[in-house]
Amino acid sequence: MRRAEISQWRLPIPREKLSAYIHSARLGRGISQDEMVRGTELSLSTLRKIENGTTTNPGLFTLHRIWHKLDLPWDALGQVTQELTSSRRRTP
């Protein structure tokens, strides 16, 4: 895949969960989970938990590795994180 194609990834759609965005981006890039593990130095278990939504709030260091490997736009991180944060707020 050429670098120009990779840098043209989409921003999250409204209400898109972090897990769905990462999974979709990985598949859209044609990257296997094994390649992600090698490229991010995360465990396969961690990656699977993030992609299936079991881990809904991974650490910043973990997200940085994923974003870097998938070459995702950094402003997308704020959009999916904001969705996660706003959905967890309690109403008084």
Side-chain angles (χ1 to χ4, degrees):
M1 200 177 286
R2 293 181 310 218
R3 180 78 176 171
E5 292 174 18
I6 291 175
S7 65
Q8 297 298 318
W9 188 247
R10 67 172 177 79
L11 293 173
I13 58 175
R15 298 187 181 271
E16 185 169 17
K17 293 183 179 179
L18 177 66
S19 58
Y21 185 64
I22 291 172
H23 181 76
S24 176
R26 182 179 61 76
L27 293 179
R29 300 272 196 264
I31 298 173
S32 69
Q33 285 185 331
D34 288 336
E35 290 174 282
M36 283 293 291
V37 166
R38 286 190 303 273
T40 61
E41 298 181 358
L42 300 172
S43 71
L44 181 56
S45 173
T46 296
L47 182 61
R48 285 182 177 161
K49 287 177 182 177
I50 292 168
E51 285 194 359
N52 71 24
T54 304
T55 300
T56 57
N57 194 14
L60 186 57
F61 185 71
T62 299
L63 289 175
H64 180 270
R65 286 174 173 228
I66 292 170
W67 247 246
H68 181 72
K69 174 65 180 169
L70 295 175
D71 195 27
L72 295 171
W74 288 104
D75 51 341
L77 181 58
Q79 291 180 28
V80 291
T81 302
Q82 183 178 20
E83 177 63 29
L84 284 172
T85 303
S86 64
S87 68
R88 289 182 169 197
R89 289 187 183 149
R90 293 185 201 177
T91 52

